[in-house]
Amino acid sequence: MSAVFTFLRGSVTRTVALFSFFALSACIDTGGGAGPSVNTSRAVPVALLIPHESQRGSDAALATALENAARLAIADLDGVNIDLRIYATGGQPERAAAAATTAVRDGAKIILGPVFAPAANAAGVAVANRNVNILSFSNNPSIAGGNVFVLGNSYRNTANRLAQYAVSQGRNRVMVVYGNNSSETRGRDAITAAVQAAGGTVTATAGFELSQNGVVQATPAIARATRSNGSNAIFFTSGGAGALGLTTQLLLDNGVSPASQQFIGLRRMDRPATMLTQPGVQGGWFTVPDTRLHASFQNRYTAAYGSPPHPLAGIAYDGIAAVGALLKTDRNDALTIPSLTRSSGFVGVNGVFRLLPDGSTQRALAVATIRDGQVVEISPAPRSFGGSGS
């Protein structure tokens, strides 16, 4: 059982830090239309705040990958001249705030990064009244707003895509199963809102203590509930590095049939790679980036730098791609909030995306499943946006 259920507490803690799910207050509102005037006839200074000089060893590889991806994006731009300036944050809020202040003093017209939510929040506050916007690499919506955008994919975005797909496939009675911590309860809330918005019904929510014993004790009751409340789908907030493997396996052992109750994962079901052989996730639904664009980026990055990119590297590429697309319009208001939030969005290495007025990012995602130990796309990512963002 322990082989199926590996919490990897250190890795989980690091992942939470990496993806920045902290309860932070949003940056102060700078007012609509905020942003500098730019002269596109000259190289436009763009600051990149990354965790160089961090005390955490893994941050060095992350910082290098973000810088590499940004430089690869600049090389791909046609007719746009960007002066990329690198600032080390050490992965710390205080240094991020100082770096942002220095970058603006040096003439930066927009800031890309930082990665971690506390650092991104601090940077945003530090330059909130300097008329410069920040495209952070965090995915924590609590820091979004004002002069700060979060480029990372959020629970809300993933839940919306999966809920809409599930309801379209007749899986409209959804039970939500979540671990009792702050990250997974936020996931539970995102799923609940998404299912309701898609026209489905949340039949019940069921939490469990995030431990092996907690899952073992809770699963029989969860299995009984799914049968008694008429659920035809079970939406999990846990990932493969956490409780997903054990939870899905024990549900199978307790008589739950994925043919009757479709398994859906808020987090990717194929990571780590050992999950691909787990019986409980076979046939499950989860999201992946636009597979064609993502594969192209992976190949080009590897050819340029000799190794595959860090999973977060594409966000830096996307930030430069958005800035480049706006500067190509030759407008002096190219980097203001109305321009950044244009409804058509941008093309990134993981698919199309657009920045929303609330500071979050809507990303077009594909829906995938696992068949015979392989990831198979079952609903492609949209290639454009229709209507207003949500």
Side-chain angles (χ1 to χ4, degrees), residues 293-303 307-311 349:
L293 293 174
H294 182 69
S296 175
F297 171 66
Q298 295 273 107
N299 293 336
R300 290 169 53 237
Y301 184 102
T302 302
S307 61
H310 187 283
V349 296

Side-chain angles (χ1 to χ4, degrees), residues 297-335:
F297 171 66
Q298 295 273 107
N299 293 336
R300 290 169 53 237
Y301 184 102
T302 302
Y305 300 111
S307 61
H310 187 283
L312 291 184
I315 299 179
Y317 188 106
D318 287 356
I320 292 292
V323 171
L326 292 171
L327 293 178
K328 196 169 185 178
T329 65
D330 289 328
R331 295 173 57 97
N332 62 10
D333 64 348
L335 300 181

Side-chain angles (χ1 to χ4, degrees), residues 34-38 108-110 131-133 332-336:
S37 177
V38 295
K109 299 300 184 181
I110 196 165
N131 210 34
V132 172
N133 293 306
N332 62 10
D333 64 348
L335 300 181
T336 61

Side-chain angles (χ1 to χ4, degrees), residues 1 9 18 21 44 46-47 61 132 136 145 159 162-163 176 188 220-221 227 231 242 246 263 276 370 372 375 381 390:
M1 183 175 296
R9 286 180 176 81
L18 180 62
F21 286 108
V44 177
V46 174
V132 172
S136 79
L162 287 167
V176 184
R188 173 203 63 195
R227 291 189 290 268
S231 299
L246 182 61
F263 288 0
L276 289 168
I370 299 174
D372 300 322
V375 177
S390 59

